[in-house]
Amino acid sequence: MEFITESHYFRVMPFLLEGLVWTLLITFVGLIFGFVLGAVFGFARLSKNKIIYGLATVYVEAVRGTPILAQILFIYFGLSDLTGINIDKISASIIAIAINAGAYIAEIVRGAVYSIDKGQEEAGRSIGLTRNQTMRYIIWPQAFRRMIPPLGNQFVISLKDTSLFSVIAVGELLYMGQQYYGMTFQAFQALTMVCVMYLIITVPTAVYLRRVERRLDV
């Protein structure tokens, strides 16, 4: 059969490797900023200040309640239309990943901190530590260990979400696969290799995360 004898599986690889570079770059940079946002808004969701808590809740619920595709289009087209400033495709993609992942990471942070036994805070206060010192030296290190598996899962989710950036012509994996079969009309081979490339990244990551989770016993 043609899809077996043709070498398009290999010819598409230069396209996909270029797309993989952009996929990983957008994912990693977006998640770095997303973690910062998640930490800030996660702790804000723990705040006893109603204004701070309310603003953080609006951000988390608004982002988690809307599809990332709408967020991508809003950032790339909507903000440009509103401000008159053109945002380049890569920057828009990184911003979208950061904002979207940040909302989910905020809940990961909040949940991890809440999961630490209240006695830990009481123990810190009993030895003379302030609330902030107790959080920094006692609660946060334990909470961070518990955050590692869900943060890894968020990496996988954000990585797959980059495929949606093809709608604004970002040269990530799916878009480059589309470019190839648009020129060669070999959609089966190109899309098969796109899926294989995603699996090569996501499956080992998932296996590793399960091992980490068992090791951490969380």
Side-chain angles (χ1 to χ4, degrees):
M1 297 177 67
E2 183 183 1
F3 69 84
I4 295 178
T5 58
E6 286 286 346
S7 60
H8 289 283
Y9 291 105
F10 301 102
R11 292 178 183 173
V12 73
M13 288 306 295
F15 286 79
L16 298 188
L17 289 175
E18 181 182 344
L20 179 62
V21 170
W22 286 112
T23 293
L24 293 176
L25 177 66
I26 292 168
T27 303
F28 279 114
V29 176
L31 284 178
I32 289 171
F33 288 109
F35 181 78
V36 174
L37 284 175
V40 170
F41 284 97
F43 281 111
R45 292 265 284 162
L46 296 168
S47 175
K48 295 180 180 180
N49 185 302
K50 292 184 179 180
I51 296 177
I52 294 175
Y53 174 83
L55 292 174
T57 300
V58 168
Y59 162 70
V60 170
E61 296 302 328
V63 173
R64 298 207 310 164
T66 54
I68 187 173
L69 180 58
Q71 295 165 18
I72 294 166
L73 296 175
F74 178 81
I75 291 169
Y76 187 62
F77 294 111
L79 290 183
S80 296
D81 183 57
L82 177 66
T83 63
I85 300 173
N86 291 325
I87 304 174
D88 68 88
K89 295 178 289 187
I90 301 301
S91 297
S93 302
I94 291 172
I95 293 170
I97 288 291
I99 291 175
N100 184 267
Y104 290 92
I105 292 173
E107 290 300 278
I108 292 173
V109 170
R110 186 175 70 94
V113 172
Y114 269 143
S115 72
I116 304 302
D117 190 273
K118 293 294 184 182
Q120 298 289 313
E121 182 175 359
E122 295 172 1
R125 302 301 292 273
S126 69
I127 61 175
L129 297 179
T130 65
R131 186 172 186 270
N132 289 337
Q133 289 173 329
T134 301
M135 176 64 70
R136 180 179 178 182
Y137 296 113
I138 297 178
I139 296 177
W140 177 250
Q142 298 179 69
F144 185 77
R145 290 178 71 247
R146 300 188 179 189
M147 288 165 51
I148 293 174
L151 285 176
N153 291 332
Q154 184 60 50
F155 165 77
V156 172
I157 292 169
S158 295
L159 178 77
K160 293 186 292 185
D161 283 344
T162 60
S163 63
L164 297 173
F165 296 133
S166 60
V167 300
I168 57 173
V170 173
E172 44 70 50
L173 267 174
L174 180 59
Y175 181 80
M176 295 306 290
Q178 291 173 326
Q179 292 298 296
Y180 182 81
Y181 73 69
M183 295 185 298
T184 64
F185 304 102
Q186 301 295 328
F188 180 86
Q189 293 92 328
L191 292 176
T192 296
M193 293 307 296
V194 168
C195 293
V196 168
M197 294 289 281
Y198 278 115
L199 290 172
I200 287 173
I201 302 170
T202 58
V203 172
T205 301
V207 172
Y208 176 74
L209 288 173
R210 284 195 290 269
R211 291 181 179 178
V212 170
E213 191 169 0
R214 287 195 296 267
R215 186 176 302 173
L216 295 177
D217 192 25
V218 296

